[in-house]
Amino acid sequence: MTHISLHRCRFVDFPPSQITALAFSHPSAPTSPHPPPKNLRLAIGRANGSIEIWNPLSGVWAYESTLAGGKDRSIEGLTWVQDHDSHGRGLLRLFSIGYSSVVTEWDLATGRPRTHTNCNGGVIWSIAAQPRLHSSETVNREEGQEACAQKIAVGMQDGALAILSTVGGKGALSYVKTLMRAGTSKSRVLSIVWQNRHMVVAGMADSTIRVWDIRSGRAVSRLSLNKDRGRDVLVWAVQALPNGDLVSADSRGEVCFWDGDKYALKQRIKGHQGDCLTLEVGGINGDTVISGGVDMKTILYKHIGAGRKWGQVALRRFHKHDVRAMAAYECGKFSVIASGGGVDMTPIIIPLRQFLDEAHLEIPALPQSPIVTSVPESRLIMSWWEQEVKIWRIQELGYDENKGDELYLFPGEEEGRGRKLLSRIVLANDEYITSASISSPIPQNGGHLLAVSTIAEVKLFLLRPPRASSSSASLRVSKITIPDSLRLEVPEDEDDPDDDEMEEDIDLANEGARLVRISPDRRWLSVVTPDSRVLIVKLAVEPPADPKSKATVIFESSVFELPRQDRPETAPRALPLPTTDTPGKRQLKRLAHRIDEGDLETYPRTISHHLFSSTSDLFAVSDLSGYLDTYILTNSTIPTWKLNPKNTLLPRLNSPLSALTFRPSLPFPSPSSTSSTANPEDRLILITSKENHILELHLTTGALSDWSRRNPPTHLPLDFRTLKSHATGTFFETSQWEAKQRLWIWSANWLWMFDLLKDLPEGKPRAEATRGALGSGAGHKRVMTGGLVVSGPTVNPPPPAPTKKTITSGAVTDSEWEGEGYEDDEGASRAIILANTQKKRSKSGTKSAFWRSNRYKNMLGFLPVGCREEVLIKGEGWKDGQLLEAMEMVVIERPMWDVKMPPKFCKDAGSSARGGM
Amino acid sequence: MSSALGGRFLPLDMVFSEDEKFFLLAHSCSLKIYSAKTSLQVREFSLDSKPSEVIVCFKLDPLDSSKVYIGTSASTICFVDWTTGKLVKSWQLLNIRTIQCLAVCVDEKREDGEAHGIIYVGGSGSKDSSTIIQRVKLSLSVRLIEDRVYVVPKPSPVGCMQVLDQGNVVTAIAGNTLIIGNKNTEEEDSSVKKPWGVFRHYPMSFHLTCMDAYLPGEPDIINHKGGGSQWGSGRGANQLGDVVVGDNLGALHLFHNVLRVEGVPKGSPVISKMHWHRSRVQAVKWALDGKYIISGGSETVLVIWQLGTGFKQFLPHLGATIQNIAISPRGSSYGIGFADNSVMVLSTTEFKPTSSVTGIQSRVFHLEKGTEYPRFTCVMHPTLPNRLLLASPSSQTDLYSSASSLQTFDISSTRQIYKQTLTRSNITSANQGPDEYKIKEPDLPHLAITKDGKWLASIDEWKPPKKKSLYSNEDGRSSQEDDSDQSEVSLKFWKWGEKSLSWELATIVKSPHPSFGGAGPEEVLDLVAAPKAHLFATLAGDGSVRLWKPKAQARDGARLRREDSEITVWSCRKVIKFSKGKRGQQILAQNLLSGMSPQKAWWGSVAFSEDNSVIAAAVPNSLGDDSAIYLADSSSGAIAHFLSGLQVGKATEIAILERYLVILGTSKLLVWNMVNGTVQWEFNLRTLLSVNNPVTHLAVDYLSQTFAITISQRDAPSPKIFVFEAPHPTPVHVQRFECGYQIMALLGTDTGKGYVALDNQARVCCLSPILTRPVQRTPIEGKEEEEQEAPVVAEEDEPTIGTLSGAYLSTTAPTMSAEDHMDLDYAKDDGVVDHVVSREALENILDSTPSYAIGSLEHTFDQVLQLFAKAPLLNDGDDGDFGGVEEEGGPQNRSGDEEDDNGEDAMEV
């Protein structure tokens, strides 16, 4: 029996950043018969300079990686360019702008900026890429490369437009010319779009839209908007319809439709109460326009019939704040708009063609990779974001004789009760933290090791507990210098023995890392470099000899680079055109006629997860294309890591992993110890992002485990498989006292528990067909009462009870398993000795093998804290000498209502709106 | 008994004549034709049929614009020439039990010479309860031919129906479904061509309330007012039309291109959702050019949607919920029907009202079990004949809307004279609280007007919106107290402004009866005006009556300007405390009968005698199951007599008619002879009308010295009015009312026209004393009536007006010796009643000589004093304490009061 005390924390003040730009890597192809290209990505630019890369994956919307930003950086515009390739497999390149005169090209594989190109002008306000050359268009030989490559137009603060050429492949961006300035210096170029390959249309801040022909460099036309009460109208967005017509959105809240030939106003529709900030075009023939504005509304316009005009069709309020950026992508059935609330940090995926029929998908504003971790032994919680690391201690629960069987927080000051901020480390460098890892406590009160990585650096700190004499509770932080020249030992390759141990030094501290981790036994530090090499270095941590001295950390002289297994090209489907292929790159091509696939080079091999087993003798990494590499510590005299010999047997997963964990061996007398005596903890549990499959693999044999055999993914509860938000983390609950193997999986909005000692009931295949079916790529089909239900809001869960920032520890008892409600969190510091679940079990028969809760919203973490202990219970209703296992968990939430937002522009909005309107 | 006047305009779209000179409106049984220029009724066509048959729908005949089709609830179609007001022909439908709506197809060709018109009828079928739409071919000579076109799958009534394009397209809404039928389409999967084509369904989430269809190029079809079939076959076959529907929650859904003459447009239609209205969209119409949509609802705002640009134009503050919108055939004006029984014609260009018609704006409702009886507040103007002053709510049908304005209605010409808001009002602004409860306006529960018509007093009462109580099982008492804590009551006095022709506010008294303990104002239960003076009395829940009198005050510095040199301030002059009041009794009841639940209801009624001398008040007795009636001297405020144990139940109204006190309770009608101190006669109400908990009203006509009561109940067969003379228990007259109506107010006119009854269909009936003669236009014949009334008065053989006080209290009136003694004994027993000098005696002294000829003031004073001094002499020389009271300065005060009175009398004469 277990008693879980739950600390419900809302003090982690992670600041989500505003979304400023959104871009899909491919242009829409609504009439295409193909499914969306495999290399389709969505880039989300945030105001803190980070860019998140998402893989739509036909509606799965898997988070892949973050191109970390830095201090005082911002993303103001994003655009993708594909290098010209006659077979459509040119490199996909991502460009961004941000409050400077520089256009940045990003290297997705390393997460670093590849090049910066200064446009020699003012601050760039807008960016747009030239439409790709259509396959039918022929290019004269002499123009060649130059004509084929997509150009980029940027609009400056002073009203000038510059044309940049992307010709030359990776990293090459060259200035071509500045278009003749047409307006005054006041006319900022707020938005820019290519009407076709020659015409650039720019929405300016002086109530005009101007059209340039880049061949002549002259302004061709000037489309004037009426001034709004004497003030200049700001044209926040322009878009071109497939038939050449233009659409503009402006600060009057109007959407204007312009004739594409005569550049004359055709129609204007006032839909927004405030500024209309963004605009997207969609539909089979471009018959749909969607706009978003500061009044939080998203308005859908449709072209009504031939020869008739546009009409405002529907209005919905997805966001809770400004709608600042939108990006549409359509390919065949797949038809979505990614809508980023500007100040509202939540990206929302809206079905485009099925705007009225399907639900939208809201992606939590929280990071998809965990940014909080805990050290249960020391009751520490560590969080990291941007440039700072914060470490808290969660106070213990006390037992008050007077209050009966309940556990209480020790009384303390009201604010910050139950927790203590022990340390706040702010890194001096500009880059944001990509990963951090804290070690288990060093014996003899030696403190903790903390490894922090940015994209440029790896830093190691020693956190020592405060002196016993000092009154302050904060940790003493001291930096551990990483030796700047460590020998890099590249694994010897049997294939070329002549490469005999080339001595190479590596400056580990300045290598930068995507991920760092200190192994549970503090002996290894693993570093995944930005270009996804796996480095591992041995640490020798000496506990402090006496209370006065501090622990010493000595680096082993050599850094091992762990080899990654070369994955084959998609060999069975050998492509006829391997000319531009580079090794290590996989070509994904299902239909030979696809010409817009694009190429991401080594980006799909980017490592997204890595993990030590709890015994620190197994190590696993997984990459974005679903491959696993596992390593085994050889127990020779000099421990070295070797690629798991069974690695080749490990399957490739259907999608990138969303979480993975090792299944700890049973400390309890395990009945199955016969089979895996050598390495009891070799079972790796994987959770995929597509359909949330849970797989368990024996690393030593490379085979699926017994549990996984018995419980194939189709046996997983349908509700779990159709969860739209992906698992963020896991927690494995075991017990020293009884047979217990529970896997807790959590994401920002849900918490599931699977009891691995039990088998899942068989799923019903019928239901899968109905609900699991993906629609256009956003939410599922709405439940409809009839053919045409125009209204009817989607049900959003109500916000959690506004318990303020204090730590509140409610209690989860096992009784929650049964779906019973328990005492509300309002009751603050209270923990309840659980009811005797044993009785219940006998009553209600066998418990189901899983349990779930949607109680917690915007979870940053569901982490253990404190040591498990055994409590001897006496008293009424308890058998004498009955043991109770006590455990404490922390639920860390970041409620959106607690995030400070600037005041809303539209005060009146919301009062009359009901439901989905 | 006159025929019912006034009434309620049905919530049907008004119909304009083709030349827009007339518009047609419907009451429940009659069609009225109004001139657009003068807003006056020109003609009327009444259905002479069973009273239960009402007009359901009426549409202009497109072929002959002087004819109109009227559909009734008894499935009759009447074909009426409205230019003459004559019925041309009527048909009885066989397959339809109740007509729900009619649609006339403009240009459907006559198939043969016999057919006169083709009408599409939606209604409930006679055989089963299904809702059907059928096409009816009417002809003058042959029987009508009914073709069932379509059966609505769900038995929900057809809310609105239109037929367009030669009958090719039928659109209708039923429940939450939009139905579009197209004759020229075929079912895709079946080869059999149905004669009426395919009907498409568009189920929506919410109940649809209104619909309008637009087929371009045919503006006159849309509005059913077109001139004929000039639209030939030259029209493009792939003409696309739009339909707009409004739903219960305030959204308008615009179905683009769903109508098509030939075939059905492919794919699902584009549906625009336009949500501006906060609550149900009551009416929606296309403008004639199809570029605008006009909609209206309870926001009292006419919204004009410009479809091309998304702009909305608003015409706000129309005063009441918009129920119907009609567009005139030329598009020059909108006809808007409001929920407060008024109709307005607005010009489309400048939004100026060109004509308006207003009916009686009393509440209209159908009583259902469990609903609280709403209170109708109305008074007759005492001097101007036929003027009915009533508190009008903003919506007639909404039981919960408060009556906050005063409508003055001329019941003879059935026109509104003026309307004035007496309380603060927020009909036109957002009136929802944060929890979606409606914030109500103050209600006007009581009105009273002085007999000279110069002063009006009104009570307005505001209660905070009822919040959903979290703990529903909390005892009722505390919640009640909470209610009264926050409610606001104020008494306002209004002076009739001759120049402004409106009531000018003179005084506001906030909380006229402040409750003790400062727990908020007490509810004012009754307000009456004294018949002979500028005096109002209020009775409130604290068990006291307050008398309010005006006082002229010179305004500072206003003397230079001639006008308005003084202002009149009303103030409380006397408080007569009768009982412990609501709270006191509740506390008492709790203490005494700890087991019993404290009474919740508290009622009260107050009445003046005809000469102001006596004021009677009925309040619950201490147990709360019967009424206790107190009689007091209005001038001194002393309680003269106390009646209880009469077993009248809850006294709804009391009145004093000469020497009789008439008490109408829930169980009994009782006439108390105040002089004898006995019950003159009593009636158990059950013998009059066998109903439980009847709703009763009492009115007194002093001119004819009669009183009338009505008794009605929701399930009673028919209400009746009984007219009594006070001394005799046999009713002088019994007037039966038509079934289904409830009399909601009964008033004595005091101008010789008997009684006025207001029923729950906003109609007024006059019950005039000439019982044998049907009176059509009562006001004109006022004079005759008064003459003919004389015999009635003479029959009564009772002392005339003004003698009551003499009979009751005076010692000087020679004719009343018997009662005199009675009275004096009575006075002695109580020992409270002051000596009262008859008015005549005083008048003799004071008015015998004209004012310029008055000699010395001393002489007059001596005479007056003599008059007063006479009383103890006559009193058998008894007790001295009586005189002692007088000596304490009573005489001076008294004479002064009397002089005041006289002055007022003179003013009145």
Side-chain angles (χ1 to χ4, degrees), chain A residues 729-747:
Chain A
T730 55
F731 162 65
F732 211 96
E733 180 193 351
T734 55
S735 167
Q736 301 165 36
W737 295 282
E738 59 180 325
K740 181 188 273 189
Q741 299 250 306
R742 288 189 200 164
L743 176 66
W744 297 79
I745 307 169
W746 53 271
S747 93

Side-chain angles (χ1 to χ4, degrees), chain A residues 445 464-476 547-548:
Chain A
N445 207 12
R464 282 183 297 152
R467 279 188 199 91
S469 55
S470 90
S471 58
S472 86
S474 50
L475 298 171
R476 289 176 288 163
K548 289 275 160 65

Side-chain angles (χ1 to χ4, degrees), chain A residues 703-721:
Chain A
L704 285 174
S705 74
D706 290 344
W707 183 87
S708 202
R709 272 179 223 282
R710 289 194 307 269
N711 301 290
T714 49
H715 283 203
L716 289 170
L718 189 65
D719 286 348
F720 182 72
R721 275 182 287 156

Side-chain angles (χ1 to χ4, degrees), chain A residues 217-247:
Chain A
R218 282 175 201 284
V220 175
S221 184
R222 177 175 174 272
L223 287 64
S224 179
L225 289 91
N226 291 335
K227 283 192 178 182
D228 180 27
R229 286 182 233 105
R231 284 163 54 203
D232 272 335
V233 173
L234 312 176
V235 183
W236 286 118
V238 281
Q239 287 291 337
L241 294 172
N243 64 0
D245 284 1
L246 299 171
V247 197

Side-chain angles (χ1 to χ4, degrees), chain B residues 263-278:
Chain B
V264 176
K266 295 281 175 290
S268 60
V270 177
I271 306 169
S272 296
K273 182 174 176 181
M274 302 183 289
H275 205 150
W276 180 87
H277 290 281
R278 204 170 263 133

Side-chain angles (χ1 to χ4, degrees), chain A residues 396 452 487 576 622 639 652 687 710 730 809 835 859 900 914:
Chain A
E396 283 177 60
V452 179
R487 192 156 48 86
S622 80
R652 184 191 170 198
I687 300 150
R710 289 194 307 269
T730 55
S809 73
M859 254 194 290
K900 286 210 171 53
R914 49 169 54 256

Side-chain angles (χ1 to χ4, degrees), chain A residues 196-207:
Chain A
N196 49 44
R197 276 186 67 88
H198 309 300
M199 300 298 214
V200 179
V201 181
M204 319 281 260
D206 60 349
S207 320

